[in-house]
Amino acid sequence: SVTRSVTGPSNLHFNLLLDFNISTPPGLLTPAFAESLLVAVPPCQFTGANAMKGRILKAETDIRHFTAPPCRSRRYVLSVGDSNDGFTVTRLDAYQVTGLIPGQTYRVCVSGALILSPSSSPGMDHQSIPPEMARSGGMVVITVLLSIAMFLLLVGLIAVLVIAGRK
Amino acid sequence: MEGGNFCCTLLIACCLSVWVTADQYKVYPILGVSGKDDVYAGAWISIFTGFSFFCLGVFGIIGLVSGNRLMVLLYLVLMLFVYMFECASCITSYTHRDFVVSNPNLVTKQMLTFYAAPTAQGRELTRMWDRIMMEQQYCGTSGPMDWVNYSSTFRTFYPEVVSPWPFLCCKRDPNFVILSQEGCRIGHVDYINNKGCFDHIGHAVDSYTWGVSWFGFAILMFTCPVMLVAMYHYTTL
Protein backbone atom coordinates (compact mmCIF):
# COMPACT_ATOMS: atom_id res chain seq x y z
CA SER A 1 0.00 0.00 0.00
CA VAL A 2 1.03 3.59 -0.57
CA THR A 3 0.49 6.63 1.63
CA ARG A 4 -0.21 10.00 0.13
CA SER A 5 -0.53 13.39 1.69
CA VAL A 6 -3.52 15.52 0.64
CA THR A 7 -4.84 18.85 1.76
CA GLY A 8 -8.48 18.80 2.75
CA PRO A 9 -10.90 21.50 3.94
CA SER A 10 -9.64 23.96 6.61
CA ASN A 11 -6.17 23.20 5.40
CA LEU A 12 -6.00 20.05 7.41
CA HIS A 13 -3.56 17.59 6.13
CA PHE A 14 -4.56 14.03 5.74
CA ASN A 15 -2.44 11.09 5.15
CA LEU A 16 -4.42 8.76 3.06
CA LEU A 17 -3.54 5.13 3.21
CA LEU A 18 -4.27 4.04 -0.31
CA ASP A 19 -4.81 0.40 -0.08
CA PHE A 20 -4.74 -0.98 -3.56
CA ASN A 21 -2.78 -3.63 -5.23
CA ILE A 22 -1.05 -2.77 -8.44
CA SER A 23 0.40 -6.17 -8.93
CA THR A 24 -0.30 -8.35 -11.94
CA PRO A 25 -3.70 -7.95 -13.57
CA PRO A 26 -6.00 -10.81 -12.63
CA GLY A 27 -7.02 -13.59 -14.98
CA LEU A 28 -4.02 -13.48 -17.30
CA LEU A 29 -1.89 -16.40 -18.40
CA THR A 30 1.19 -14.33 -17.72
CA PRO A 31 1.90 -10.61 -17.27
CA ALA A 32 5.37 -10.98 -18.74
CA PHE A 33 5.93 -11.56 -22.43
CA ALA A 34 9.30 -11.50 -24.11
CA GLU A 35 8.93 -7.96 -25.46
CA SER A 36 6.10 -6.48 -23.40
CA LEU A 37 4.72 -6.37 -19.88
CA LEU A 38 1.22 -5.97 -18.55
CA VAL A 39 0.80 -3.82 -15.44
CA ALA A 40 -2.50 -3.26 -13.69
CA VAL A 41 -3.30 0.42 -13.42
CA PRO A 42 -4.60 1.92 -10.19
CA PRO A 43 -8.38 1.83 -9.65
CA CYS A 44 -10.33 4.54 -11.37
CA GLN A 45 -11.27 6.49 -8.22
CA PHE A 46 -7.75 7.90 -8.11
CA THR A 47 -8.34 10.48 -10.81
CA GLY A 48 -8.58 14.18 -11.18
CA ALA A 49 -6.66 15.98 -8.48
CA ASN A 50 -5.68 12.71 -6.93
CA ALA A 51 -4.62 11.07 -10.16
CA MET A 52 -2.17 8.23 -9.61
CA LYS A 53 0.73 8.42 -11.94
CA GLY A 54 3.10 5.58 -12.50
CA ARG A 55 6.46 5.14 -14.15
CA ILE A 56 8.18 2.14 -15.58
CA LEU A 57 11.94 2.22 -15.43
CA LYS A 58 14.87 0.21 -16.60
CA ALA A 59 17.91 1.01 -14.45
CA GLU A 60 17.31 4.67 -13.64
CA THR A 61 15.85 5.61 -16.99
CA ASP A 62 12.15 6.23 -17.41
CA ILE A 63 10.62 4.18 -20.16
CA ARG A 64 6.95 4.87 -19.85
CA HIS A 65 4.41 6.76 -17.82
CA PHE A 66 0.83 5.88 -17.15
CA THR A 67 -2.08 7.39 -15.26
CA ALA A 68 -5.10 5.89 -13.59
CA PRO A 69 -7.98 5.81 -16.03
CA PRO A 70 -11.07 7.85 -15.16
CA CYS A 71 -14.12 6.04 -13.93
CA ARG A 72 -16.92 5.82 -16.40
CA SER A 73 -19.91 7.94 -15.62
CA ARG A 74 -22.71 6.49 -13.60
CA ARG A 75 -24.24 4.61 -16.46
CA TYR A 76 -23.22 1.19 -15.23
CA VAL A 77 -22.40 0.13 -18.74
CA LEU A 78 -20.66 -2.91 -17.38
CA SER A 79 -23.81 -4.08 -15.65
CA VAL A 80 -25.61 -4.51 -18.94
CA GLY A 81 -25.93 -8.19 -19.67
CA ASP A 82 -24.65 -9.30 -16.30
CA SER A 83 -24.74 -12.87 -15.08
CA ASN A 84 -28.51 -12.75 -14.56
CA ASP A 85 -28.92 -13.10 -18.30
CA GLY A 86 -26.52 -15.99 -18.47
CA PHE A 87 -23.39 -14.32 -19.77
CA THR A 88 -20.56 -12.49 -18.05
CA VAL A 89 -18.76 -9.33 -18.91
CA THR A 90 -15.06 -9.33 -18.21
CA ARG A 91 -13.28 -6.09 -17.61
CA LEU A 92 -9.59 -5.65 -17.36
CA ASP A 93 -7.70 -2.45 -16.72
CA ALA A 94 -4.07 -2.86 -17.57
CA TYR A 95 -1.29 -1.00 -19.23
CA GLN A 96 0.84 -2.78 -21.79
CA VAL A 97 4.44 -1.68 -22.04
CA THR A 98 5.88 -2.66 -25.39
CA GLY A 99 9.23 -2.50 -27.09
CA LEU A 100 11.06 -4.20 -24.24
CA ILE A 101 14.08 -6.45 -24.32
CA PRO A 102 13.64 -10.14 -23.43
CA GLY A 103 15.05 -11.29 -20.11
CA GLN A 104 15.38 -7.84 -18.49
CA THR A 105 14.05 -6.70 -15.13
CA TYR A 106 12.08 -3.48 -14.94
CA ARG A 107 10.65 -1.46 -12.08
CA VAL A 108 7.15 -0.07 -11.74
CA CYS A 109 6.77 2.92 -9.43
CA VAL A 110 3.59 4.69 -8.41
CA SER A 111 3.86 8.10 -6.76
CA GLY A 112 7.51 7.53 -6.12
CA ALA A 113 7.09 4.21 -4.35
CA LEU A 114 8.39 1.01 -5.91
CA ILE A 115 5.50 -1.32 -6.38
CA LEU A 116 6.67 -4.09 -8.64
CA SER A 117 9.77 -5.54 -10.30
CA PRO A 118 8.63 -7.66 -13.19
CA SER A 119 11.00 -9.37 -15.60
CA SER A 120 10.27 -9.88 -19.25
CA SER A 121 10.38 -13.47 -20.44
CA PRO A 122 13.84 -14.52 -21.68
CA GLY A 123 12.52 -15.98 -24.96
CA MET A 124 14.89 -18.93 -25.35
CA ASP A 125 15.99 -20.12 -28.76
CA HIS A 126 13.78 -22.99 -29.90
CA GLN A 127 16.74 -24.69 -31.60
CA SER A 128 18.26 -25.18 -28.18
CA ILE A 129 15.43 -27.40 -26.90
CA PRO A 130 17.15 -30.67 -26.01
CA PRO A 131 15.62 -33.76 -27.62
CA GLU A 132 15.03 -35.89 -24.56
CA MET A 133 13.84 -39.39 -25.04
CA ALA A 134 12.68 -41.50 -22.15
CA ARG A 135 13.27 -45.17 -22.63
CA SER A 136 10.18 -46.94 -21.43
CA GLY A 137 9.96 -50.37 -19.85
CA GLY A 138 7.70 -51.62 -22.64
CA MET A 139 10.48 -51.38 -25.19
CA VAL A 140 12.81 -53.45 -23.06
CA VAL A 141 10.12 -56.09 -22.38
CA ILE A 142 9.18 -56.44 -26.04
CA THR A 143 12.79 -56.65 -27.22
CA VAL A 144 13.88 -59.17 -24.59
CA LEU A 145 10.90 -61.48 -24.94
CA LEU A 146 10.90 -61.42 -28.73
CA SER A 147 14.62 -62.13 -28.80
CA ILE A 148 14.10 -65.15 -26.55
CA ALA A 149 11.21 -66.39 -28.70
CA MET A 150 13.23 -65.96 -31.89
CA PHE A 151 16.14 -67.84 -30.37
CA LEU A 152 13.89 -70.71 -29.30
CA LEU A 153 12.39 -71.00 -32.78
CA LEU A 154 15.77 -71.01 -34.49
CA VAL A 155 17.13 -73.61 -32.09
CA GLY A 156 13.97 -75.64 -32.53
CA LEU A 157 14.17 -75.54 -36.32
CA ILE A 158 17.82 -76.59 -36.33
CA ALA A 159 17.10 -79.41 -33.87
CA VAL A 160 14.19 -80.62 -35.96
CA LEU A 161 16.27 -80.64 -39.13
CA VAL A 162 19.01 -82.59 -37.38
CA ILE A 163 16.58 -85.13 -35.93
CA ALA A 164 14.75 -85.52 -39.21
CA GLY A 165 18.08 -85.88 -41.04
CA ARG A 166 19.12 -88.76 -38.79
CA LYS A 167 15.93 -90.69 -39.36
CA MET B 1 -9.13 -75.79 -34.38
CA GLU B 2 -5.82 -74.38 -33.37
CA GLY B 3 -5.17 -73.45 -36.97
CA GLY B 4 -8.61 -71.83 -37.24
CA ASN B 5 -7.99 -69.65 -34.20
CA PHE B 6 -4.60 -68.76 -35.57
CA CYS B 7 -6.00 -67.61 -38.90
CA CYS B 8 -8.71 -65.49 -37.28
CA THR B 9 -6.24 -63.75 -34.96
CA LEU B 10 -4.05 -62.84 -37.89
CA LEU B 11 -6.90 -61.42 -39.90
CA ILE B 12 -7.77 -59.23 -36.90
CA ALA B 13 -4.15 -58.09 -36.79
CA CYS B 14 -4.36 -57.21 -40.46
CA CYS B 15 -7.51 -55.13 -39.90
CA LEU B 16 -6.03 -53.34 -36.89
CA SER B 17 -3.00 -52.38 -38.93
CA VAL B 18 -5.27 -51.03 -41.66
CA TRP B 19 -6.93 -48.84 -39.00
CA VAL B 20 -3.53 -47.48 -37.97
CA THR B 21 -2.49 -46.70 -41.53
CA ALA B 22 -5.83 -44.95 -42.10
CA ASP B 23 -4.76 -42.48 -39.37
CA GLN B 24 -8.10 -41.14 -38.18
CA TYR B 25 -6.35 -38.74 -35.79
CA LYS B 26 -4.35 -37.36 -38.72
CA VAL B 27 -1.13 -36.94 -36.78
CA TYR B 28 1.12 -38.48 -39.43
CA PRO B 29 2.87 -35.17 -40.37
CA ILE B 30 4.50 -34.98 -36.93
CA LEU B 31 6.02 -38.42 -37.34
CA GLY B 32 6.78 -37.99 -41.03
CA VAL B 33 8.65 -34.70 -40.68
CA SER B 34 10.62 -35.92 -37.67
CA GLY B 35 11.67 -39.03 -39.59
CA LYS B 36 10.41 -41.21 -36.76
CA ASP B 37 7.49 -42.67 -38.66
CA ASP B 38 8.01 -46.33 -37.93
CA VAL B 39 4.72 -46.41 -36.08
CA TYR B 40 3.17 -46.29 -39.57
CA ALA B 41 5.88 -48.37 -41.23
CA GLY B 42 5.26 -50.96 -38.52
CA ALA B 43 1.57 -50.93 -39.36
CA TRP B 44 2.28 -51.48 -43.06
CA ILE B 45 4.60 -54.35 -42.16
CA SER B 46 1.90 -55.78 -39.90
CA ILE B 47 -0.56 -55.78 -42.78
CA PHE B 48 1.94 -57.80 -44.80
CA THR B 49 2.87 -60.16 -41.97
CA GLY B 50 -0.72 -60.58 -40.77
CA PHE B 51 -1.83 -61.61 -44.22
CA SER B 52 1.26 -63.79 -44.72
CA PHE B 53 0.68 -65.56 -41.41
CA PHE B 54 -2.90 -66.20 -42.50
CA CYS B 55 -1.84 -67.70 -45.84
CA LEU B 56 0.93 -69.72 -44.22
CA GLY B 57 -1.50 -70.92 -41.55
CA VAL B 58 -3.78 -72.35 -44.24
CA PHE B 59 -0.76 -73.83 -46.01
CA GLY B 60 0.48 -75.37 -42.74
CA ILE B 61 -2.89 -76.94 -42.00
CA ILE B 62 -2.97 -78.51 -45.45
CA GLY B 63 0.63 -79.73 -45.05
CA LEU B 64 0.06 -81.29 -41.64
CA VAL B 65 -3.21 -82.94 -42.65
CA SER B 66 -1.72 -84.42 -45.81
CA GLY B 67 1.43 -85.48 -43.95
CA ASN B 68 3.75 -84.06 -46.62
CA ARG B 69 7.16 -83.47 -44.99
CA LEU B 70 8.36 -80.98 -47.56
CA MET B 71 5.27 -78.83 -47.18
CA VAL B 72 5.62 -78.73 -43.41
CA LEU B 73 9.32 -77.87 -43.66
CA LEU B 74 8.57 -75.09 -46.10
CA TYR B 75 5.82 -73.86 -43.78
CA LEU B 76 8.25 -73.72 -40.83
CA VAL B 77 10.97 -71.86 -42.73
CA LEU B 78 8.57 -69.29 -44.20
CA MET B 79 6.87 -68.78 -40.82
CA LEU B 80 10.25 -68.04 -39.25
CA PHE B 81 10.96 -65.51 -41.96
CA VAL B 82 7.64 -63.69 -41.45
CA TYR B 83 8.10 -63.94 -37.68
CA MET B 84 11.32 -61.93 -38.02
CA PHE B 85 9.54 -59.19 -39.94
CA GLU B 86 6.79 -58.96 -37.35
CA CYS B 87 9.37 -58.76 -34.53
CA ALA B 88 11.09 -55.92 -36.33
CA SER B 89 7.80 -54.08 -36.79
CA CYS B 90 6.90 -54.33 -33.09
CA ILE B 91 10.27 -53.17 -31.85
CA THR B 92 10.79 -50.24 -34.21
CA SER B 93 7.20 -49.06 -33.82
CA TYR B 94 7.58 -48.85 -30.06
CA THR B 95 11.02 -47.23 -30.28
CA HIS B 96 9.81 -44.48 -32.58
CA ARG B 97 6.79 -43.90 -30.38
CA ASP B 98 9.20 -43.34 -27.48
CA PHE B 99 11.17 -40.86 -29.55
CA VAL B 100 8.17 -38.77 -30.39
CA VAL B 101 5.73 -38.79 -27.49
CA SER B 102 7.58 -39.82 -24.35
CA ASN B 103 8.49 -36.15 -23.85
CA PRO B 104 6.99 -32.95 -25.30
CA ASN B 105 10.38 -31.57 -26.37
CA LEU B 106 10.51 -33.06 -29.85
CA VAL B 107 6.96 -32.05 -30.71
CA THR B 108 7.47 -28.53 -29.26
CA LYS B 109 10.69 -27.98 -31.17
CA GLN B 110 9.14 -29.24 -34.39
CA MET B 111 6.09 -27.02 -33.94
CA LEU B 112 8.20 -23.93 -33.28
CA THR B 113 10.45 -24.68 -36.25
CA PHE B 114 7.85 -25.55 -38.84
CA TYR B 115 4.61 -23.77 -37.91
CA ALA B 116 4.05 -20.92 -40.40
CA ALA B 117 7.22 -21.88 -42.32
CA PRO B 118 6.72 -21.43 -46.08
CA THR B 119 8.36 -24.77 -46.99
CA ALA B 120 6.33 -27.83 -48.05
CA GLN B 121 6.91 -29.53 -44.69
CA GLY B 122 6.03 -26.28 -42.93
CA ARG B 123 2.76 -25.97 -44.81
CA GLU B 124 1.81 -29.55 -44.05
CA LEU B 125 2.57 -29.20 -40.37
CA THR B 126 0.83 -25.82 -40.17
CA ARG B 127 -2.31 -27.38 -41.64
CA MET B 128 -2.15 -30.22 -39.14
CA TRP B 129 -1.63 -27.94 -36.13
CA ASP B 130 -4.35 -25.58 -37.29
CA ARG B 131 -6.76 -28.47 -37.57
CA ILE B 132 -5.94 -29.91 -34.15
CA MET B 133 -6.05 -26.50 -32.41
CA MET B 134 -9.36 -25.68 -34.05
CA GLU B 135 -11.11 -29.01 -33.57
CA GLN B 136 -9.87 -29.83 -30.10
CA GLN B 137 -9.70 -26.22 -28.84
CA TYR B 138 -6.15 -26.48 -27.65
CA CYS B 139 -3.15 -24.23 -28.20
CA GLY B 140 0.47 -25.13 -28.84
CA THR B 141 2.14 -28.21 -27.41
CA SER B 142 2.07 -27.47 -23.67
CA GLY B 143 0.01 -24.30 -23.93
CA PRO B 144 0.13 -20.79 -25.42
CA MET B 145 3.26 -20.04 -23.40
CA ASP B 146 5.30 -22.17 -25.82
CA TRP B 147 5.08 -19.27 -28.24
CA VAL B 148 6.27 -16.77 -25.62
CA ASN B 149 8.94 -18.82 -23.90
CA TYR B 150 10.79 -19.72 -27.09
CA SER B 151 11.67 -18.10 -30.37
CA SER B 152 9.93 -19.55 -33.42
CA THR B 153 9.42 -19.27 -37.15
CA PHE B 154 5.96 -17.90 -36.37
CA ARG B 155 7.62 -15.05 -34.43
CA THR B 156 9.66 -14.04 -37.46
CA PHE B 157 6.43 -13.37 -39.36
CA TYR B 158 4.28 -11.93 -36.57
CA PRO B 159 5.71 -9.58 -33.89
CA GLU B 160 4.79 -10.41 -30.36
CA VAL B 161 2.80 -7.23 -29.84
CA VAL B 162 0.56 -7.98 -32.81
CA SER B 163 0.11 -11.69 -32.23
CA PRO B 164 1.95 -13.45 -29.43
CA TRP B 165 0.36 -16.77 -30.52
CA PRO B 166 -1.72 -17.93 -33.46
CA PHE B 167 -5.24 -16.62 -33.29
CA LEU B 168 -6.54 -20.16 -33.64
CA CYS B 169 -5.78 -20.37 -29.92
CA CYS B 170 -8.55 -17.89 -29.17
CA LYS B 171 -11.84 -19.04 -27.71
CA ARG B 172 -14.59 -18.77 -30.25
CA ASP B 173 -18.36 -18.84 -30.19
CA PRO B 174 -20.40 -21.53 -31.99
CA ASN B 175 -20.26 -19.44 -35.18
CA PHE B 176 -16.47 -19.58 -35.03
CA VAL B 177 -16.12 -15.88 -34.32
CA ILE B 178 -13.36 -14.89 -31.88
CA LEU B 179 -14.93 -13.79 -28.58
CA SER B 180 -12.44 -11.01 -27.99
CA GLN B 181 -9.36 -10.48 -30.12
CA GLU B 182 -7.82 -8.10 -27.61
CA GLY B 183 -8.52 -10.45 -24.71
CA CYS B 184 -6.92 -13.27 -26.66
CA ARG B 185 -3.93 -11.16 -27.62
CA ILE B 186 -3.05 -10.31 -24.02
CA GLY B 187 -3.78 -13.85 -22.82
CA HIS B 188 -6.83 -13.47 -20.62
CA VAL B 189 -7.95 -16.94 -19.55
CA ASP B 190 -11.57 -16.24 -20.54
CA TYR B 191 -10.55 -15.62 -24.15
CA ILE B 192 -7.78 -18.08 -24.89
CA ASN B 193 -7.51 -21.87 -24.89
CA ASN B 194 -5.00 -22.69 -22.23
CA LYS B 195 -4.46 -26.41 -22.73
CA GLY B 196 -1.79 -27.84 -25.00
CA CYS B 197 -2.26 -30.41 -27.77
CA PHE B 198 0.41 -32.78 -26.48
CA ASP B 199 -2.00 -35.01 -24.56
CA HIS B 200 -4.16 -35.44 -27.65
CA ILE B 201 -1.20 -36.18 -29.94
CA GLY B 202 0.29 -38.51 -27.33
CA HIS B 203 -2.99 -40.36 -27.03
CA ALA B 204 -3.24 -40.76 -30.82
CA VAL B 205 0.31 -42.06 -31.26
CA ASP B 206 -0.03 -44.32 -28.22
CA SER B 207 -3.25 -45.83 -29.63
CA TYR B 208 -1.49 -46.65 -32.87
CA THR B 209 1.54 -48.05 -31.08
CA TRP B 210 -0.49 -50.26 -28.76
CA GLY B 211 -2.31 -51.64 -31.81
CA VAL B 212 0.81 -52.35 -33.83
CA SER B 213 3.37 -53.10 -31.16
CA TRP B 214 1.63 -54.75 -28.24
CA PHE B 215 -0.95 -56.62 -30.29
CA GLY B 216 1.79 -57.79 -32.63
CA PHE B 217 3.78 -58.88 -29.60
CA ALA B 218 0.81 -60.85 -28.28
CA ILE B 219 0.40 -62.58 -31.64
CA LEU B 220 4.08 -63.49 -31.73
CA MET B 221 3.97 -64.89 -28.20
CA PHE B 222 1.00 -67.01 -29.26
CA THR B 223 2.64 -68.05 -32.54
CA CYS B 224 5.85 -69.25 -30.88
CA PRO B 225 4.36 -72.33 -29.12
CA VAL B 226 2.21 -73.04 -32.18
CA MET B 227 5.35 -73.24 -34.29
CA LEU B 228 7.15 -75.36 -31.70
CA VAL B 229 4.25 -77.81 -31.77
CA ALA B 230 4.37 -77.84 -35.58
CA MET B 231 8.09 -78.61 -35.38
CA TYR B 232 7.34 -81.53 -33.08
CA HIS B 233 4.71 -82.81 -35.54
CA TYR B 234 7.30 -82.58 -38.33
CA THR B 235 9.59 -84.94 -36.47
CA THR B 236 6.78 -87.50 -36.18
CA LEU B 237 6.01 -87.49 -39.91
Side-chain angles (χ1 to χ4, degrees), chain B residues 2-230:
Chain B
E2 170 191 285
N5 281 346
F6 192 54
C7 293
C8 284
T9 315
L10 297 162
L11 275 181
I12 294 170
C14 206
C15 295
L16 192 62
S17 304
V18 168
W19 174 74
V20 172
T21 49
D23 189 17
Q24 70 165 79
Y25 289 108
K26 307 259 187 302
V27 294
Y28 176 73
I30 293 181
L31 301 170
V33 170
S34 67
K36 305 280 183 279
D37 59 353
D38 261 10
V39 178
Y40 290 94
W44 283 108
I45 293 173
S46 290
I47 294 176
F48 157 70
T49 56
F51 190 65
S52 303
F53 273 141
F54 171 72
C55 296
L56 283 173
V58 171
F59 180 71
I61 291 168
I62 295 171
L64 279 170
V65 161
S66 65
N68 187 331
R69 293 190 82 199
L70 188 61
M71 277 176 86
V72 178
L73 184 62
L74 190 63
Y75 160 78
L76 288 173
V77 170
L78 287 176
M79 279 290 281
L80 201 64
F81 190 65
V82 178
Y83 198 93
M84 274 191 294
F85 268 101
E86 180 68 22
C87 281
S89 130
C90 292
I91 293 173
T92 55
S93 172
Y94 205 101
T95 308
H96 280 198
R97 173 252 164 214
D98 277 350
F99 262 114
V100 177
V101 296
S102 60
N103 183 285
N105 283 5
L106 185 138
V107 178
T108 307
K109 187 170 180 176
Q110 190 191 71
M111 178 188 77
L112 295 170
T113 310
F114 287 101
Y115 187 89
T119 59
Q121 287 180 325
R123 277 195 297 272
E124 198 182 339
L125 270 171
T126 307
R127 253 200 311 271
M128 189 209 78
W129 277 104
D130 284 347
R131 188 178 8 88
I132 293 180
M133 291 200 286
M134 207 156 62
E135 286 175 3
Q136 308 294 330
Q137 284 150 25
Y138 294 143
C139 181
T141 308
S142 314
M145 292 308 294
D146 286 339
W147 304 100
V148 170
N149 290 336
Y150 297 100
S151 65
S152 58
T153 307
F154 177 78
R155 184 63 61 235
T156 64
F157 292 107
Y158 299 96
E160 195 190 62
V161 170
V162 168
S163 176
W165 31 64
F167 278 111
L168 282 160
C169 294
C170 302
K171 286 200 170 134
R172 292 162 188 260
D173 66 12
N175 285 327
F176 206 65
V177 174
I178 296 178
L179 290 178
S180 164
Q181 183 136 338
E182 194 62 13
C184 181
R185 189 182 70 82
I186 62 166
H188 195 283
V189 295
D190 286 345
Y191 300 112
I192 191 164
N193 294 319
N194 200 8
K195 194 167 174 345
C197 305
F198 184 69
D199 283 347
H200 173 78
I201 293 168
H203 170 75
V205 176
D206 280 347
S207 302
Y208 297 156
T209 308
W210 299 165
V212 173
S213 192
W214 282 116
F215 193 60
F217 173 75
I219 287 173
L220 291 175
M221 287 294 105
F222 171 68
T223 308
C224 184
V226 168
M227 281 178 66
L228 289 172
V229 166

Side-chain angles (χ1 to χ4, degrees), chain A residues 43-55:
Chain A
C44 63
Q45 52 264 36
F46 300 109
T47 57
N50 300 329
M52 301 299 288
K53 288 192 174 12
R55 303 151 62 205

Side-chain angles (χ1 to χ4, degrees), chain A residues 87-153:
Chain A
F87 59 94
T88 342
V89 174
T90 303
R91 179 187 172 146
L92 182 79
D93 279 326
Y95 183 73
Q96 184 171 28
V97 192
T98 57
L100 303 179
I101 299 167
Q104 297 285 318
T105 306
Y106 297 88
R107 290 181 296 146
V108 180
C109 300
V110 173
S111 294
L114 175 68
I115 300 292
L116 200 52
S117 293
S119 301
S120 57
S121 170
M124 292 182 278
D125 181 18
H126 66 283
Q127 301 291 354
S128 69
I129 300 177
E132 287 170 21
M133 175 191 149
R135 283 188 166 65
S136 58
M139 199 166 78
V140 175
V141 164
I142 288 181
T143 310
V144 165
L145 289 178
L146 287 182
S147 307
I148 292 171
M150 198 67 211
F151 174 74
L152 281 175
L153 288 176

